[in-house]
Amino acid sequence: MELTRHQQAYSLITGLLFSATVLFSAHTFSDISPIKIESFKVEPESWWAGMHNSQLQLLVYGKNISQFNVKLIHAIDINLVDVNASQSQHHLFINLDLANAPPQTLTIGLYDNNTLIQSIEYPILVREKESKNRQGFSNKDVIYLITPDRFVNGNSENDNHPDMLEQTNRADKDGRHGGDIMGIRKALPYLKDLGVTQLWINPLLENNQPQYSYHGYSATNFYNIDPRFGSNEEYKSLVEEANIFGIGIIKDVVVNHMGSGHQWMKPNGLGFPTSSWINGQAKWQQDAKNITYTSHRRTTVQDPYAVALDTSEFEHGWFTDTMPDLDQRDPYLATYLTQNSIWWVEYAGLSGIREDTYSYADKAFLAKWSKAVMDEYPNFNIVGEEWTANPITVSYWQAGKNNKDGYQSYSPSMMDFPLYEKNHFKFKRKRRLGDWVNKLI
């Protein structure tokens, strides 16, 4: 049968389209693998363009992920510095240079030879205007401390969560009682009327521990708010609403330790990203009971004549068996913790950090950590907890102190426990006002 000119043209176009479709499909399915990486996750989940420190370290989790090659698929003015598996087959550290990077969605590919196994769509966000110049808390502020689980229960529906081990039990003085972020949000008018200008809130991060988890100091996820308190988005909303009332939010940060329920500690999980993620890691992996506990001798890290063993036992020992001690001498962990602190400040819009158990972490790390935070936010404020009555011991950790060993801190303030102890001494005993004032001098 003879085809008309129009029929011939139609057949030609249809054939070309079919051929193109086949070629495209063949290219697509030969270069993209149907394999899905188990337990895949990236931390931090986002970052920002225009940060003071342009270097970004991504910690990528995934079953047997170290075998894959990393390539940037879509990146505008972003350089892939290097990739390191660091002795773990289930973790990758991807180091990026964002010095000239505009806001964008970065696409990173994990390849097995030329086959794309997994792509990562990673947001590089626009910073809030004047984020760098945010004003931290100061001695002009009235700071109110809240233990969220013991404050106000604003949403009873989140009291318990199917993925969390400990359930609410108000009859247990050490149990969870149900307070949450919504309760704090509802109390903002009351706090405003009290004259409060800053809220220091005990840690809100996930603490998925079987018991005594309400206090928040045993984090099992450094990037997620505990669902029994609320969500990341709700925490951000709290900060925004508090700012409307003229109230800033100070985040309670812990870099010294974490919770034993963290995924890094689970024998059936992906394990530690490196071989030195926690102090005593090799010994603990051989026998979980083989733990060295801290001596609590704080002055050993300041004393030029201290025995090295005494210093190590204080600085590198665990608080308890439920609080594994993080080894900040590990450069990857050091960067992880520093980025985490900065991420929360930028994400939530914080006005301060209260750093828990300050002197217990590695002292060299503390100097670098505090400098990194303050370099990013020059008008910010950090207050460290060094719980001792001796002002000499406390002042060692404060920015501007001229220490004989040359140690320099960049944390602007420390909690004044010497003054607290004097006040406590006075209020416990009946003394004349003059005696009390003399004790304070």
Side-chain angles (χ1 to χ4, degrees), residues 29-80:
F29 289 106
S30 66
D31 286 353
I32 299 179
S33 168
I35 299 172
K36 292 298 181 183
I37 299 175
E38 295 180 37
S39 306
F40 188 77
K41 184 173 69 166
V42 181
E43 292 180 331
E45 65 183 32
S46 60
W47 205 249
W48 294 266
M51 300 294 279
H52 175 80
N53 183 359
S54 63
Q55 306 304 299
L56 174 63
Q57 172 189 283
L58 300 181
L59 173 54
V60 185
Y61 302 77
K63 194 73 172 178
N64 298 315
I65 201 172
S66 66
Q67 65 185 300
F68 302 124
N69 298 318
V70 176
K71 301 177 184 178
L72 301 187
I73 298 175
H74 174 75
I76 303 173
D77 294 330
I78 295 178
N79 295 323
L80 177 60

Side-chain angles (χ1 to χ4, degrees), residues 64-165:
N64 298 315
I65 201 172
S66 66
Q67 65 185 300
F68 302 124
N69 298 318
V70 176
K71 301 177 184 178
L72 301 187
I73 298 175
H74 174 75
I76 303 173
D77 294 330
I78 295 178
N79 295 323
L80 177 60
V81 178
D82 58 33
V83 179
N84 200 308
S86 190
Q87 300 177 329
S88 169
Q89 67 188 69
H90 307 308
H91 302 86
L92 283 177
F93 292 97
I94 302 176
N95 294 303
L96 304 171
D97 183 353
L98 308 181
N100 301 309
Q104 61 189 283
T105 298
L106 166 67
T107 305
I108 304 171
L110 302 181
Y111 288 85
D112 182 5
N113 293 321
N114 291 320
T115 301
L116 179 62
I117 302 298
Q118 180 85 41
S119 64
I120 304 169
E121 302 294 315
Y122 193 83
I124 306 297
L125 306 171
V126 179
R127 294 187 77 180
E128 292 289 333
K129 187 178 180 180
E130 294 299 307
S131 176
K132 175 184 176 67
N133 299 319
R134 70 183 65 235
Q135 183 61 52
F137 66 88
S138 71
N139 55 8
K140 298 178 182 179
D141 285 303
V142 176
I143 301 175
Y144 190 94
L145 170 62
I146 289 178
T147 301
D149 183 74
R150 296 298 196 265
F151 190 57
V152 178
N153 190 346
N155 179 14
S156 59
E157 293 184 2
N158 65 15
D159 287 359
N160 300 304
H161 191 277
D163 295 332
M164 298 293 107
L165 297 174

